[in-house]
Amino acid sequence: MDSQGRVMTQSVLQAKGLYKRFGKVVALDDCDFELHAGEVLGVIGDNGAGKTTMIKALSGAVIPDQGEILLDGKSVKFSTPIDARQAGIETVYQTLAMSPAMTIADNMFMGRELRKPGLIGHIFRKLDHSGMEKIAREKLTELGLLTIQNIRQSVETLSGGQRQGVAVARAVAFGSKVIIMDEPTAALGVKESSRVLSLIEDVKLKGIPIILISHNMPHVFEVSDRIHIHRRGRRLCIINPKDWGMSDAVALMTGAMSPPN
């Protein structure tokens, strides 16, 4: 607790004073960010507000010109998304970043394939397909994706919701610290969107904090513990979805309402 008796929440991922410029365009302007342990943090903002650049900086896809990023209180510098992944930050992109012709297991381990133990894996570089399939099946089962019967079927045979589920399972399998989800329900129907929101709740129960970037206000308000509102390259404010309405959030995003203190 602090000096006033309030409960202090541990921050898993922080950003302080991020600044990023693309030519004459200032995408991030003294931007701050904070993700607490075990929470779903919604991130909303109008188009061009800079939220995508902020998320790319946190996931290693963009290197900020100034500022500091902290993971578990320690300063980190990500030069590539691989650096962020190795630190335990996984991102589920809107495009899902999967190869449709490859199997579910191969997609889950793409870029970090397991090799057979001993000389056959070390010298001849033979992949451990059975091991990868076993882990992939376990992760899908943990998230309740029982509609996927054959772990060897190609991703192109899955529905949109099932593909999103595989992408989430991949993130859960390797995201030990933070999972970032970029518009996870953008191209899905009502039923499949509901399943993805349930997946988010399941991941939260595992203790992994989630950053949810979305333009879908009902979805953000349904699953978020706090909502980060981004405007003009910086954090405008943080609101509690239990205390604020969706119309208030839109007014704050567009500048029609002044942010709370």
Side-chain angles (χ1 to χ4, degrees):
M1 293 188 178
D2 63 9
S3 59
Q4 298 180 10
R6 295 172 300 188
V7 176
M8 301 297 289
T9 306
Q10 179 184 2
S11 295
V12 176
L13 184 63
Q14 282 183 281
K16 298 180 180 180
L18 295 186
Y19 183 88
K20 182 64 182 178
R21 185 178 185 138
F22 297 100
K24 295 183 178 180
V25 177
V26 178
L28 295 178
D29 186 10
D30 195 24
C31 171
D32 293 333
F33 177 87
E34 190 171 22
L35 175 69
H36 294 165
E39 76 168 347
V40 177
L41 177 68
V43 176
I44 60 174
D46 208 351
N47 291 330
K51 61 185 184 299
T52 298
T53 303
M54 178 188 71
I55 294 304
K56 286 183 175 181
L58 296 173
S59 63
V62 164
I63 302 175
D65 300 327
Q66 297 177 23
E68 184 181 25
I69 297 174
L70 299 97
L71 184 63
D72 287 335
K74 298 179 180 179
S75 182
V76 293
K77 290 186 178 181
F78 302 138
S79 299
T80 67
I82 294 177
D83 294 339
R85 281 169 50 177
Q86 290 176 342
I89 300 174
E90 284 288 329
T91 304
V92 180
Y93 297 100
Q94 184 175 350
T95 57
L96 301 185
M98 290 193 288
S99 177
M102 294 174 65
T103 68
I104 295 170
D106 288 341
N107 268 282
M108 286 188 65
F109 282 88
M110 186 164 40
R112 45 195 156 199
E113 293 81 2
L114 300 180
R115 302 197 183 277
K116 290 279 190 181
L119 291 176
I120 194 171
H122 182 69
I123 301 297
F124 297 101
R125 315 288 287 175
K126 187 171 180 60
L127 298 181
D128 185 3
H129 290 288
S130 60
M132 290 187 287
E133 289 172 3
K134 180 177 181 292
I135 295 173
R137 188 178 291 107
E138 289 173 354
K139 292 300 178 182
L140 291 175
T141 302
E142 284 178 12
L143 291 175
L145 296 170
L146 301 179
T147 55
I148 299 175
Q149 300 295 332
N150 184 6
I151 205 71
R152 296 181 180 178
Q153 70 186 98
S154 60
V155 165
E156 62 191 355
T157 64
L158 303 178
S159 68
Q162 288 175 322
R163 294 187 192 194
Q164 189 67 257
V166 172
V168 173
R170 178 175 61 186
V172 173
F174 300 102
S176 59
K177 297 288 186 181
V178 176
I179 293 178
I180 301 172
M181 302 187 72
D182 182 15
E183 298 286 356
T185 62
L188 302 182
V190 175
K191 184 177 180 180
E192 292 182 328
S193 294
S194 177
R195 182 60 195 134
V196 171
L197 295 180
S198 295
L199 285 175
I200 292 174
E201 294 287 357
D202 292 341
V203 173
K204 178 185 172 182
L205 289 175
K206 294 180 181 296
I208 303 175
I210 299 171
I211 302 170
L212 173 64
I213 308 101
S214 179
H215 284 97
N216 191 312
M217 289 291 181
H219 291 171
V220 171
F221 271 75
E222 180 177 344
V223 298
S224 298
D225 297 295
R226 297 186 305 139
I227 298 176
H228 168 122
I229 298 180
H230 212 74
R231 177 170 164 79
R232 294 183 176 178
R234 64 174 64 186
R235 180 177 65 190
L236 178 70
C237 61
I238 297 286
I239 63 172
N240 186 329
K242 295 179 181 179
D243 300 331
W244 296 75
M246 285 182 274
S247 58
D248 297 324
V250 173
L252 289 166
M253 283 168 46
T254 58
M257 179 187 294
S258 299
N261 293 330

